[in-house]
Amino acid sequence: MNNYLLITTLLGGLLLTGCSNHVLKKDLVIQANNKVVWADDGSDVVVVKHNKDNPSNQAHFKHQVSVQNIDGSGQRTITEWRDYQVDQIFYMKQAGYFIVESKLDNGVRRFDKINASGHEILIIETPDSEHQPCRGKKNTASNISKLPQVHHTVIPSPDGQQLAHIYSPECRKVTVEFLHANNLNIFDNQTVDIDEPMKTRWHSDGYVILSTYNNDKAWKIIPLTLPLPVLPPKCLLPVTTSSDVSLGGKKVYFEGNKLATKDVGRQKAFGCQ
């Protein structure tokens, strides 16, 4: 359950820095579920701040994206306050963009590409909860891992040059569309028949891995090549080079209103396969 902190005056510090063009109104609710992930090269982090003035309505969520050094210095606001709550974000610094996944109403999610100057373009908006691929099945958080489909997502490649748009066009199928990250043009797609739920991630060698939830079977998905069965990866997370764990094995997280880090080891970092 989300916890909320009522802010009745403007506060300085990490959560409210970078809002010079937006005046926060009195009695704004600042939600304590802000997100932070490393840049793909581990040089700095992206921070997503949330606010919500009506906790009962998903549409009242707002978020803002900024980047900063791990010690809080060098903060730079990327976006103004945007609608909706962020579920996932990737910071592909070397390629110059972010991928932001927002949660809308009724199970709809949207994926946007945002460049370093804040310009954004919609990549895809997913179907709502009533129009999921496995029709006749109840698509809830408790049983999503039991349905023969894949979680609809967009994941940047380790070098940021490609995007993998992964979804189930119908029950018992998975399609991986490969896009050029710079122009979002699709240059290939591969479809695999499945009989159980699947998860996806990039491999450090630059291809997509499709694997079962219990990680006992996996397929290698490469553009312009037929899918091939492979040994399952040693881990399913992180899914690419930008995550809350750096390539060196350092996890970043919020401790109250401040950022903190701890060493979790390279076995928890991307490339652990």
Side-chain angles (χ1 to χ4, degrees), residues 123-193:
I123 301 171
I124 192 73
E125 192 169 287
T126 71
D128 61 27
S129 299
E130 302 301 319
H131 297 87
Q132 293 299 305
C134 291
R135 293 178 177 83
K137 304 286 186 179
K138 191 173 182 181
N139 291 274
T140 65
S142 61
N143 76 350
I144 192 66
S145 63
K146 301 175 184 177
L147 302 175
Q149 62 184 47
V150 70
H151 180 66
H152 198 148
T153 191
V154 175
I155 311 173
S157 62
D159 63 3
Q161 297 305 306
Q162 298 175 17
L163 301 177
H165 173 214
I166 305 152
Y167 63 101
S168 286
E170 57 185 272
C171 203
R172 299 186 179 277
K173 290 186 181 293
V174 174
T175 293
V176 180
E177 292 179 346
F178 292 95
L179 294 76
H180 294 297
N182 62 343
N183 56 21
L184 302 185
N185 287 337
I186 299 172
F187 64 92
D188 189 47
N189 67 82
Q190 304 285 336
T191 298
V192 178
D193 293 325

Side-chain angles (χ1 to χ4, degrees), residues 83-98:
D83 289 333
Y84 309 118
Q85 183 181 12
V86 171
D87 192 34
Q88 185 170 232
I89 186 167
F90 300 105
Y91 179 15
M92 311 312 292
K93 182 177 182 178
Q94 296 177 96
Y97 67 88
F98 308 83

Side-chain angles (χ1 to χ4, degrees), residues 80-122:
E80 297 299 324
W81 289 98
R82 305 176 73 238
D83 289 333
Y84 309 118
Q85 183 181 12
V86 171
D87 192 34
Q88 185 170 232
I89 186 167
F90 300 105
Y91 179 15
M92 311 312 292
K93 182 177 182 178
Q94 296 177 96
Y97 67 88
F98 308 83
I99 298 296
V100 179
E101 176 188 355
S102 303
K103 296 194 295 186
L104 285 63
D105 291 329
N106 197 25
V108 176
R109 292 174 296 119
R110 62 176 287 158
F111 295 85
D112 292 284
K113 177 188 171 187
I114 302 177
N115 67 19
S117 64
H119 175 75
E120 60 184 79
I121 183 170
L122 174 66

Side-chain angles (χ1 to χ4, degrees), residues 11-23:
L11 300 181
L14 175 64
L15 289 180
L16 301 182
T17 303
C19 304
S20 58
N21 294 325
H22 182 92
V23 177

